[in-house]
Amino acid sequence: MSMQPAGVFAQSYVRDMAIFRTWKQGAALGFFVLALLLVPTILGPRYVAIANIMLITSVVVLGLQITTGLAGQVNLGQAAFMGMGAYTAAALSSGQQWPFLVTVPLAGLVAALFGAIFGLAAVRIRGFYLALTTIAAQFIFVFAILNLPASWTGAAQGLRVETASVFGFVFNTDNRMYFLILAITAIMTVGAYGIARSRHGRAFVAVRDDDLAAGFTGVNVVRAKATAFFVGAFYAGVGGALWAYYIRFVAVDQFSLFNSVYYMGMVIVGGLGSMAGAFVGVFLIRAAQEILTSVGPSVADIFPALGSSVVFASVNIILGAAIALMLILEPRGVMHRFNILKRAFRLWPYPH
Amino acid sequence: MIQLIEYALNGALLGLLYALIAMGFVVIYRASKVFNFAQGELVVVGAFLVWFFTLDLGLPLYVGFALALIGAAIFGLIIEPLLFRRLVGQSTFSMVMVTIGLLILLRGLVLVIFGPSVRPFPDLISTAPITFGDITLNRGLAYGGIFTILLAIGVSLYFSRTRPGLRMTVVAEDHQIAQSMGISVRRSIAYAWGMGMVLSTLGAVFYLNGKSVTFLVAEIGFAALPVALLAGLESVGGLIPAGIIVGVAQGLAAGYIDPVVGGSFSAVFPYLVMVIILFLRPSGLFGWRIVERV
Amino acid sequence: GGGDEDSGGDAGAGGTTYNQAWLVDFSGPYADVYNELQAAREATNEWWNETVGSEIGVQLAGEPYDHRYDAAQVASLWPGILSELEPIMAMGVGGPDVAALQQRLPQDQVPLLMNTAGYGYAWSADQWVFNPRATYAHEATGFVDWFKEDRGLDRPVRVAMISSEAAPAYVDIVDGMEAFAEDFPDMAEVVAVEFADVQPAALNSQVSRIVDAEADVIIIQTNTTQAVVTKQALESLGVEIPIMLSSHNSLQATGAAAGGIEELEGDYESYGFVVPAAQEGTAYDFYQMLVEDYGLEAEWTVPTVQGIAHQLYANRTVEHAVEMVGAENLTGQAMYDALLDVELTAEDLFEFLPPLDWTEEAPFPTSGLTTSIGTIEDGEYARAELDHEIPELEKW
Amino acid sequence: MVAGPGARPGGALTEGASGSAPSTESSGGPGGSPLLELSNVEVTYSGVILVLKGINIIVPERGCVALLGPNGAGKSTTLKAVSGVLKTEEGLVSAGQVRFAGERIDTLAAERTVRRGILHVMEGRKVLEHMTVEQNLVAGGHLQRSRDAKESLELTYEYFPRLADLRGRTSGYLSGGEQQMLVIGRALMARPKLMMIDEPSLGLAPLMVEEIFSILHRLRQEDLALVIVEQNTAAALALADYGYVLDNGRIVLDGTAESLRSNEDIREFYLGLGATGERKSFRDIKHYRRRKRWLG
Amino acid sequence: MQPATASQPTVADRVPSPALSAEGLSLSFGGVKALQDVAMELRKSELLAVIGPNGAGKTSLLNCLTGFYRPQQGRVVLDGDKVISGLPTHKIARLGVSRTFQGTHLFTGMTVLDNIMIGRYSHMRTNLAQAFLYVPWTRREEVQHREFVEDIIDFLEITTVRKRVVGELGYGLRKRVDLARALAMEPSVLLMDEPMAGMNLEEKEDLARFILDVREARGIPIVIVEHDMAVVMDIADRIVVLDFGRKISEGTPAEVSGDPVVIKAYLGEAH
Ligand SMILES: Nc1ncnc2c1ncn2[C@@H]1O[C@H](COP(=O)(O)OP(=O)(O)OP(=O)(O)O)[C@@H](O)[C@H]1O
Ligand SMILES: Nc1ncnc2c1ncn2[C@@H]1O[C@H](COP(=O)(O)OP(=O)(O)OP(=O)(O)O)[C@@H](O)[C@H]1O
Ligand SMILES: CC(C)C[C@H](N)C(=O)O
Ligand SMILES: [Mg+2]
Ligand SMILES: [Mg+2]
């Protein structure tokens, strides 16, 4: 997979291991970051809002990329884990008035612990059975929130959330939230790459590819699976906290099983195991949704005969078909196709 | 005591309905190794076909019903060329994920074609209850229960005793091996979905008899899930005990636990039962054990 | 779309155009309701633009946005709506709108006018959310109050509830009723609460518990399916207990799904606007006019009424706002002020809604609340009571 | 000195060598009317990795061809290109043709090639792991009429008495060698016209290796054409009429079994025989061999 | 190198504690007796071969030694005093017992390099938080272990494929990566299950050399299960023969190959 650009010979292992191996790659990243920073200035508020949701979703999906993409543990409880984080942040910020910088990691941690329980189930339960067991997380989450003391969780009422503020600076507009979310997403992304290329990331992949052999090489398989869930749910929790601060209200129905299914879809469309793929998947599916919902009204205007209800219902058809189509055309995800293209380009014109 | 029996019986019947819906899953999984997330949607499509051919077109009930079953089978068969043909040979994981796309797509299709209204569903079975002394049972569910048991036996025999069943079993083991043995994975997948659709339509009939249908009926898919897992994803016969266990557990939880906790513990309970049993038997009651060998 | 690019709107044929954002559920759990509701909004708006709007120099353009009844979807749609449409008000249709927007509206300065009833959890002061009805729990308690009178009971009404934990709003309804029973022990006693699936296969056990609890009435404000399945269970148990429905699972809708309205003989519905039972009266005439002159394609049903009421209220408020600030200066803030200030009579609203008076203390009027009750009598849809006064509830 | 079977020249096993016209030129291919013919076959994986670079192979009716070559040469890929299994691994016959009994088959799906009579025993002991040994075998005969299938089953048990002992065992738990017998047995159940076996002796005990090869010899008597990929070169060349040596995706040497057996390079690198015909001890090899790169 | 001369194992020979020993191992699956009262010992820097017909229990024996199977009876002792039977596989691996597999059990989605780096897993110390931040220390640790792994890559001559994904490699190369991964664990005992299977002669010669070198250069005692008798007879110091789960013979290559029981059960009359 990782064929290097011609003429690049690593002089040291450090360089060989670096994510960006040429100055061009580094520069590309620089431009990308710059572009991200300029989003609010160049694009309108509508796009900032979309970007906010996309970035939050990306954090959640990055986590899923670790649990499912790297460690191979299909997880349909990610929305529930996200909900745990959101509720933690909400409860601590409004009830206890704890500051953003404390609640966010705590939200991650609470979600992570909840997630690790399902990882431990992996001691015995595997494959699809495990995947579907994680659906239980969803039901348990809803039941717990609704039936725990209302003073903690707001029960059916949901919880209000204070505006995020860091050292007195209040993030009370979409634009401000954008930078906050971007910063945290950046940290989480760097972290995801760090974990992925560390011994832990390798152990995750080992467990995914062959958990028996992983055991023989000294990897504690149960622990690795639990850790994968822990880390993945941590990301969900942090994403949930961001969500809470952005929407400023949490309720159980914001974190539905359907969302978990969508997150899985994003991971797959982007490409299993690829951190960049997490972003690609989120971007493609979210963009499709956004385009369809915003084009919908205009279509309804142009063809009033169709009736807007038909137009909107068709959105599902198009979205479903698009997801199916992307998978049919590239079952291993967009990033896989991208890598192949890259490789073909490097070899061109000598298919070797 | 009577109450206990009634809860248990009603629960068991509901569990058997779940088993019938889950049979759709299992048959598809058992014949193609594709875990179908869109199972609930298949039930909806089946239900609307029945509604369309009976009440909407106004055909005689059983004629309409027969046409609906044929329609369902055809619908199931065309899913393979549309969605899976190009994916044969790819990891089954991608096929499973395609069913997520299918789920969303079918939801839209049903909305556009049949509309969002709640439609009446025909009484294919009398809605008069069955009563034994103090116990009353829903007739549709009771007949459904019996039917499910018979059907499960038949379908199990199909898989274990017939050639096509054997071929499907091989496909469920491994697509590549199946192909290298001359078994058409594509055909197996197509038949599996055809059968799955017919089963889902039958499920819809017992589920909705005399009630109403909307696209939201799809929720039953996830409610039936614990039954499929408990049985073991490859086991058709196991659906019967699994359905009864889940149903009775849920019925009793609704009767005795929910009033105490004041919430719907009965919605979570089947999942808890499932997780506990999976801990003891990681491949469900009768599913294929994962072969661990080096 | 018909949106204007410059804030403040631009002067078109009939005057300055302003935008309204219509939230709709076309593919979520209440999709069955929104076809007619949305058609009614559109026709009403068209009527208003032609007759009233053009006189006062304002045209209103609405854009529908499908939120699938999903708070996450609303949350991600909203900022786009804000910037693309620059609406002077948003017209919401359910719990998710409130959940996702309630916190941010004061900052966005766009009022959200709902057409659904309110929720206990949204009951707080200084809201930019306005429900023209009380909460669902209020509407149910109003019914219970009426029911007690109607039956001449000298004991509290024994109330059973079938609901679900699938959405906070469903649970809230139960909480509200329980709070009511606690505050008015002589009025109501909640004898059974059954949380069930939203698409249940059977409710026999649940209903038999309700029967054992000797309930006088079963309140089902969740959805049509639960109502239909409850009816079936009651039938199969051979018992007759009246059920009370809400606006989104009305007698008509449940009747249609159950195979005929006569199936619901003796059952009720309760909500805070006119019951479309009689094909006569001011409201009906207005509806007829929309059908004939504005091509409204919708039956005379609860969702249609709901849509017309919603749009009428919104547009009448615009009229008031124009009086306050002038046709050129409509903004979200102006609409907010107008909503708090306006006093609409039943005539202004063609008797679709009773007169309402908002204060800043809650997102719905807290005093002088009423509910209307529909029923099936001798196989006919009928109005049992119009504008029955709702007892005053404490926040729960 | 103890000699393993790997070093044993084919002597005892040569009775199967057919009389098809030997061709000494390396481009000729075996004689006889061709049953299977690969002409200029190129294979690419994932659309970019070119693995076979123009392969020409001919298998005559009832003939037996051996493919030899180092690891990664493309032997398994060649078989996959014929059977169509390649398509399920993101591989593609990107140029050239594969013909079977005169018809092009490179575009056929794997299951269709089986129906034409080609059976590919893949490497990696692919048993149907949750099924019993007997179920595996029965599944192998799924294309036959049930009476024939029953007969084949008897015959297979006769060939592999060990499998008869194991018939009720879950095949996933069998030992490596037992699984290897099972996949070959399962292939026999299908009664193909052409059988392609990837490393039949892999993981088999010496006695079993002899067994397998004598079974293959017997099969050759029964109208079966064979392609084998085999590292046990001596046994392979004893069984086959013709051999091809692949390296790096190209055929670098081919010829009749006899001519290959006497080829110097083959003797040295595949049979391990020195100029004197005496085999060197593995313990005495002091330097890693410089791998011979065939640059044909 | 051990003298290849014949010598019956005597009490005196056992005095230096064996690197790995098993006593009275019995293992059955339902009615299948995979091992029956099998004892064996692996002496320091010895190359011990285990042979026997298919299904004799060779792999099962390795599985007991590595903790994958739990024998119903008997125990496994490492370095003369550490009882390891009963421990989970990863603990035994961390104590220095590493193995290769019959067939391969590689991580097919990873590169060759990463597969081998997994062998270093339990020698590395970076924790999750350090990995998340990728602190300089983590980077240094990676480099240090990468160097170790590169040595093995050179040693086994797989430099050209180090960045290839293992799933794309042919069988023979995979076997080599499997060995590399086991070596990367710096084992104190190496167990190999049919390492020569699927290799051609030339490759077998290379691998035989590798194995002997591992033993000589690193002094690692090795157990090798193999069906290629030419190799076994040439390189093994001692041989244990199993049949139907029982040990039927044990001794030097010369002794074993002359043992009529072994000839009958395994080698065949031709020998
Ligand atoms: N799925 C794949 N994707 C990419 N490359 C592949 C794939 N499968 C095989 N290859 C490459 O094709 C070449 C030939 O592989 P093949 O398996 O045919 O070799 P072989 O001759 O059978 O070797 P061995 O003796 O080791 O089995 C190898 O270099 C291998 O890396
Ligand atoms: N987990 C298991 N469950 C059931 N039977 C097993 C299991 N593991 C091994 N066996 C059986 O135990 C016997 C010994 O198997 P083992 O794999 O140890 O043989 P082996 O000597 O390695 O043979 P080969 O040379 O063919 O690899 C075989 O008959 C096998 O079927
Ligand atoms: C009972 C309610 C949850 C339903 C209603 N459509 C609302 O959301 O307001
Ligand atoms: Mg090969
Ligand atoms: Mg073995």
Side-chain angles (χ1 to χ4, degrees), chain B residues 13 82 98 115 121 126-127 129 135 141 158 212-213 215 261 282:
Chain B
L13 290 185
L82 287 182
V98 167
F121 197 84
S126 146
T127 53
I135 299 170
L141 290 186
Y158 172 78
S212 57
V213 49
F215 67 101
V261 298

Side-chain angles (χ1 to χ4, degrees), chain D residues 76-217:
Chain D
S76 302
T77 303
T78 308
L79 300 194
K80 288 176 188 165
V82 174
S83 66
V85 169
L86 199 57
K87 297 180 194 73
T88 67
E89 297 187 347
E90 293 200 17
L92 179 79
V93 176
S94 46
Q97 291 194 353
V98 181
R99 295 179 163 274
F100 182 71
E103 281 172 81
R104 263 190 89 156
I105 57 166
D106 42 297
T107 50
L108 287 187
E111 71 265 12
R112 302 215 160 257
T113 63
V114 177
R115 282 166 198 260
R116 305 232 167 157
I118 300 178
L119 210 108
H120 177 186
V121 182
M122 289 181 286
E123 63 189 341
R125 299 191 296 261
K126 307 224 159 138
V127 297
L128 303 165
E129 45 175 35
H130 299 99
M131 296 164 77
T132 62
V133 168
E134 182 143 318
Q135 284 168 337
N136 264 271
L137 294 175
V138 170
H142 75 103
L143 286 172
Q144 296 191 34
R145 284 178 303 147
S146 50
R147 176 161 326 147
D148 294 350
K150 219 164 261 161
E151 223 170 71
S152 301
L153 189 64
E154 294 304 308
L155 192 68
T156 308
Y157 282 146
E158 189 192 308
Y159 281 145
F160 298 101
R162 176 95 184 131
L163 290 183
D165 298 340
L166 299 172
R167 53 160 57 109
R169 299 262 287 273
T170 305
S171 64
Y173 292 113
L174 296 181
S175 84
E178 290 164 345
Q179 290 184 340
Q180 184 72 7
M181 289 177 226
L182 180 57
V183 290
I184 296 175
R186 191 178 66 201
L188 293 180
M189 290 293 298
R191 300 202 181 171
K193 291 194 200 108
L194 169 72
M195 190 144 112
M196 305 189 293
I197 317 186
D198 208 340
E199 316 221 5
S201 73
L202 191 85
L204 293 181
L207 275 176
M208 272 319 297
V209 175
E210 275 179 41
E211 274 295 318
I212 289 276
F213 275 94
S214 72
I215 291 168
L216 293 177
H217 277 283

Side-chain angles (χ1 to χ4, degrees), chain C residues 30 34 69 93-96 116-117 119 136 169-170 173 221 248:
Chain C
Y30 291 104
Y34 286 96
Y69 206 77
V93 288
T116 41
Y119 319 93
Y136 287 100
Y170 299 149
I173 294 166
Q221 290 172 298
H248 47 266

Side-chain angles (χ1 to χ4, degrees), chain A residues 26-40:
Chain A
L29 176 75
F31 276 120
F32 185 63
V33 170
L34 194 67
L36 281 176
L37 288 174
L38 289 177
V39 163

Side-chain angles (χ1 to χ4, degrees), chain A residues 68 74 76 120-129 132-133 135-136 139-140 143 147 211-213 216 257-258 261-262 264-265 268 272 309-310 313-317 319-321 323-324 327-329 331-332, chain B residues 29 35 37 82-83 86-87 90 93-94 96-98 100-101 103-105 108-109 111-112 222 225 229 232-234 261-265 267-268 271-272 274-275 278-280 282-284 287 290 292-294:
Chain A
T68 304
V74 177
L76 290 168
L120 287 175
V123 184
R124 298 272 304 160
I125 309 174
R126 308 239 191 116
F128 279 130
Y129 290 92
L132 300 165
T133 302
I135 293 183
F139 291 89
I140 292 169
F143 181 76
N147 291 289
D211 55 354
L212 299 183
F216 287 109
L257 182 57
F258 213 61
V261 171
Y262 258 113
M264 270 314 292
I268 311 283
L272 266 181
S309 65
V310 170
S314 319
V315 167
N316 278 308
I317 302 183
L319 201 63
I323 292 179
L327 290 173
I328 291 169
L329 296 180
R332 298 214 221 153
Chain B
Y29 187 80
F35 188 89
F37 277 104
L82 287 182
L83 290 183
R86 284 194 48 144
L87 285 176
Q90 295 294 342
F93 195 66
S94 14
V96 173
M97 289 303 140
V98 167
I100 290 179
L103 185 161
I104 300 166
L105 192 149
L109 268 183
L111 271 173
V112 167
F222 282 108
L225 205 71
L229 290 197
L233 286 171
E234 292 90 1
V261 298
S264 66
F265 183 69
V268 198
Y271 273 92
L272 292 183
M274 176 193 86
V275 172
L278 284 183
F279 249 88
L280 303 175
S283 314
I290 296 173
E292 292 196 329
R293 188 81 171 88
V294 292

Side-chain angles (χ1 to χ4, degrees), chain E residues 208-226:
Chain E
R209 195 63 243 158
F210 292 143
I211 292 171
L212 290 171
D213 275 2
V214 166
R215 206 259 311 253
E216 269 151 41
R218 312 192 177 201
I220 305 174
I222 296 172
V223 176
I224 173 174
V225 170
E226 183 52 61

